[in-house]
Short mmCIF file of all heavy atoms in Angstrom, two decimals:
data_model
loop_
_atom_site.label_atom_id
_atom_site.label_comp_id
_atom_site.label_asym_id
_atom_site.label_seq_id
_atom_site.Cartn_x
_atom_site.Cartn_y
_atom_site.Cartn_z
N ARG N 295 86.83 104.61 113.74
CA ARG N 295 85.55 105.19 113.34
C ARG N 295 85.17 104.78 111.92
O ARG N 295 84.02 104.47 111.63
CB ARG N 295 85.61 106.72 113.46
CG ARG N 295 84.25 107.33 113.26
CD ARG N 295 84.21 108.82 113.52
NE ARG N 295 82.83 109.27 113.43
CZ ARG N 295 82.48 110.47 113.01
NH1 ARG N 295 83.39 111.36 112.67
NH2 ARG N 295 81.20 110.80 112.94
N VAL N 296 86.14 104.79 111.03
CA VAL N 296 85.87 104.43 109.64
C VAL N 296 85.38 102.98 109.57
O VAL N 296 84.45 102.65 108.83
CB VAL N 296 87.13 104.63 108.77
CG1 VAL N 296 86.88 104.15 107.35
CG2 VAL N 296 87.56 106.09 108.77
N LEU N 297 86.00 102.12 110.37
CA LEU N 297 85.59 100.71 110.40
C LEU N 297 84.11 100.59 110.75
O LEU N 297 83.35 99.88 110.08
CB LEU N 297 86.44 99.98 111.45
CG LEU N 297 86.16 98.49 111.65
CD1 LEU N 297 86.57 97.70 110.42
CD2 LEU N 297 86.91 97.96 112.87
N LYS N 298 83.69 101.32 111.77
CA LYS N 298 82.30 101.26 112.22
C LYS N 298 81.35 101.81 111.15
O LYS N 298 80.29 101.24 110.90
CB LYS N 298 82.18 102.08 113.51
CG LYS N 298 80.95 101.80 114.32
CD LYS N 298 81.22 100.82 115.45
CE LYS N 298 79.94 100.42 116.16
NZ LYS N 298 80.13 100.26 117.61
N ILE N 299 81.75 102.90 110.54
CA ILE N 299 80.91 103.52 109.51
C ILE N 299 80.76 102.59 108.31
O ILE N 299 79.66 102.38 107.80
CB ILE N 299 81.54 104.87 109.07
CG1 ILE N 299 81.37 105.90 110.20
CG2 ILE N 299 80.91 105.37 107.78
CD1 ILE N 299 82.23 107.15 110.00
N LEU N 300 81.88 101.98 107.90
CA LEU N 300 81.81 101.13 106.71
C LEU N 300 81.04 99.84 106.99
O LEU N 300 80.40 99.30 106.09
CB LEU N 300 83.22 100.81 106.20
CG LEU N 300 83.96 102.00 105.58
CD1 LEU N 300 85.25 101.54 104.93
CD2 LEU N 300 83.09 102.74 104.56
N LYS N 301 81.09 99.36 108.23
CA LYS N 301 80.30 98.17 108.56
C LYS N 301 78.83 98.40 108.26
O LYS N 301 78.13 97.52 107.79
CB LYS N 301 80.47 97.82 110.06
CG LYS N 301 81.67 96.95 110.36
CD LYS N 301 81.67 96.52 111.84
CE LYS N 301 82.96 95.79 112.18
NZ LYS N 301 83.09 95.52 113.63
N VAL N 302 78.35 99.61 108.55
CA VAL N 302 76.95 99.93 108.28
C VAL N 302 76.73 100.14 106.79
O VAL N 302 75.73 99.70 106.22
CB VAL N 302 76.51 101.17 109.09
CG1 VAL N 302 75.14 101.65 108.66
CG2 VAL N 302 76.54 100.85 110.57
N ALA N 303 77.69 100.80 106.15
CA ALA N 303 77.54 101.10 104.72
C ALA N 303 77.45 99.83 103.88
O ALA N 303 76.86 99.85 102.80
CB ALA N 303 78.69 101.99 104.24
N ILE N 304 78.03 98.74 104.36
CA ILE N 304 78.04 97.54 103.52
C ILE N 304 77.07 96.45 103.98
O ILE N 304 77.19 95.30 103.59
CB ILE N 304 79.45 96.92 103.39
CG1 ILE N 304 79.94 96.37 104.73
CG2 ILE N 304 80.43 97.91 102.82
CD1 ILE N 304 81.26 95.64 104.58
N LYS N 305 76.10 96.84 104.79
CA LYS N 305 75.05 95.86 105.12
C LYS N 305 74.40 95.41 103.81
O LYS N 305 73.50 96.07 103.27
CB LYS N 305 73.99 96.51 106.02
CG LYS N 305 74.39 96.54 107.47
CD LYS N 305 73.21 97.03 108.31
CE LYS N 305 73.51 96.88 109.79
NZ LYS N 305 72.46 97.52 110.61
N GLN N 306 74.83 94.27 103.32
CA GLN N 306 74.56 93.92 101.93
C GLN N 306 73.08 93.61 101.66
O GLN N 306 72.56 93.91 100.59
CB GLN N 306 75.41 92.71 101.54
CG GLN N 306 75.47 92.51 100.03
CD GLN N 306 76.49 91.47 99.67
OE1 GLN N 306 77.06 90.82 100.51
NE2 GLN N 306 76.73 91.32 98.37
#
Side-chain angles (χ1 to χ4, degrees):
Chain N
R295 189 173 186 212
V296 176
L297 180 68
K298 197 97 186 217
I299 288 167
L300 291 188
K301 274 187 187 172
V302 171
I304 66 174
K305 278 187 172 172
Q306 196 171 6

